Amino acid sequence: MLLLGFFLNGCATTNKSKSAKENPATNTNAATDPSTPTDPGTTVNTSAPVNTNGTVNTSAPTNVTASANTAAPSGSSDTINNQKGPQESFSGPVFKNAAPTAYPPYNKKDPWEPMNRAVFKFNESVDDYVFRPVATGYKTVMPVPIQMIIGNVYSNVNDIPVTLNNLLQFKFHEALRSSMRVVVNTSFGLGGIIDLASDIGLEKRDEDFGQTLGYHGVASGPYVVLPFLGPSSTRDAGGRVLDIAADPVFVGSFFVAPFIGPIVGGTRAIDTRAGLLKSEKTLDEAALDKYEFVRDAYLQRRRSLVHDGNPPKSKDDDAD
């Protein structure tokens, strides 16, 4: 009878421990009493020490502290969190549909493309409403021989800064050629009205301070579109300031009546714009993106001019 009573007592204790595991809300005050503070870092220990002889030690205290999940509803099976520690938080970027945002490819030659496109669009609008109509009217009204005379005179005047830039680039043979053009066309060509120098083999070459800076190792820098002046680069934009300072038309405007300088300068700008009317139609028909076409053509041409038509092979050429 004694052994039977001891066996029944052990079974009752085991059932009590098992019911504490299955329904912790009925055996703990932390899960049922809302006034009791909960500790999210505690763990559940429902194991009772067991004697080596196979009997359960009922005198040992049972530790049944549960970790309540305050976000879960009362009576839910998720009220006890058996995790060993807090979950790791995800600090990376969150993208819609779990995909990174697609960014446009970066063009190292044109890092200011959004700004340049805005200025390009502005220049196109000014050209559509001002320069192109004026140049078209000039081309229509002015006789072709007069147009040739005006172009020759401005070309002869431009040979003076060309000679200066040839000297700065140590191209003494080209400096002699350009200076001879000025002498021949001014003296025998009636002030440049007739281009006799080209007829005797003294071909014209274009040199400016942007090319001079490039000759001495100044990098082209990012592409930039200047208001009213059009495509350029950071190096060529600085060179244009020197070009204006060395321009005989600009310098001569200080020694004549104030209205003469703007008239002469405006006439040269209109004559230059009129000379581009023929190529403009081809550009509009051939280019899918006019901005990209003008940018790439300008950068290639300037690179060729700086290296006198024989530019070295670059990394970009290898990539292409």
Side-chain angles (χ1 to χ4, degrees), residues 269-312:
I270 294 172
D271 180 76
T272 302
R273 181 64 184 87
L276 300 175
L277 290 175
K278 292 182 179 180
S279 59
E280 183 182 24
K281 184 177 180 181
T282 304
L283 174 63
D284 292 336
E285 293 177 352
L288 297 177
D289 187 344
K290 189 175 181 180
Y291 170 83
E292 280 191 15
F293 186 90
V294 173
R295 178 193 64 194
D296 295 342
Y298 175 83
L299 293 176
Q300 291 177 10
R301 179 177 179 273
R302 293 298 295 178
R303 189 164 179 263
S304 177
L305 288 175
V306 168
H307 295 91
D308 295 330
N310 188 24

Side-chain angles (χ1 to χ4, degrees), residues 237-273:
R240 288 200 179 194
V241 177
L242 300 176
D243 291 333
I244 294 174
D247 184 14
V249 175
F250 176 76
V251 175
S253 63
F254 292 99
F255 302 97
V256 295
F259 64 90
I260 295 180
I263 292 176
V264 175
T267 304
R268 179 171 61 180
I270 294 172
D271 180 76
T272 302
R273 181 64 184 87

Side-chain angles (χ1 to χ4, degrees), residues 94-114:
V94 179
F95 300 104
K96 185 177 180 181
N97 298 328
T101 305
Y103 295 101
Y106 172 74
N107 191 334
K108 64 179 181 179
K109 297 182 296 183
D110 189 10
W112 306 325
E113 183 172 346

Side-chain angles (χ1 to χ4, degrees), residues 51-121:
N51 293 332
T52 57
N53 55 6
T55 62
V56 180
N57 187 4
T58 59
S59 62
T62 303
N63 185 11
V64 196
T65 58
S67 173
N69 186 1
T70 58
S74 177
S76 173
S77 61
D78 295 332
T79 56
I80 298 177
N81 186 4
N82 292 327
Q83 293 184 357
K84 294 183 179 179
Q87 294 183 357
E88 296 181 359
S89 61
F90 180 72
S91 60
V94 179
F95 300 104
K96 185 177 180 181
N97 298 328
T101 305
Y103 295 101
Y106 172 74
N107 191 334
K108 64 179 181 179
K109 297 182 296 183
D110 189 10
W112 306 325
E113 183 172 346
M115 179 193 69
N116 287 334
R117 283 186 178 273
V119 178
F120 181 81
K121 185 177 180 180

Side-chain angles (χ1 to χ4, degrees), residues 24-25 27-39 42 64-69:
N27 293 282
T28 63
N29 293 329
T32 59
D33 189 3
S35 63
T36 304
T38 59
D39 185 7
T42 59
V64 196
T65 58
S67 173
N69 186 1

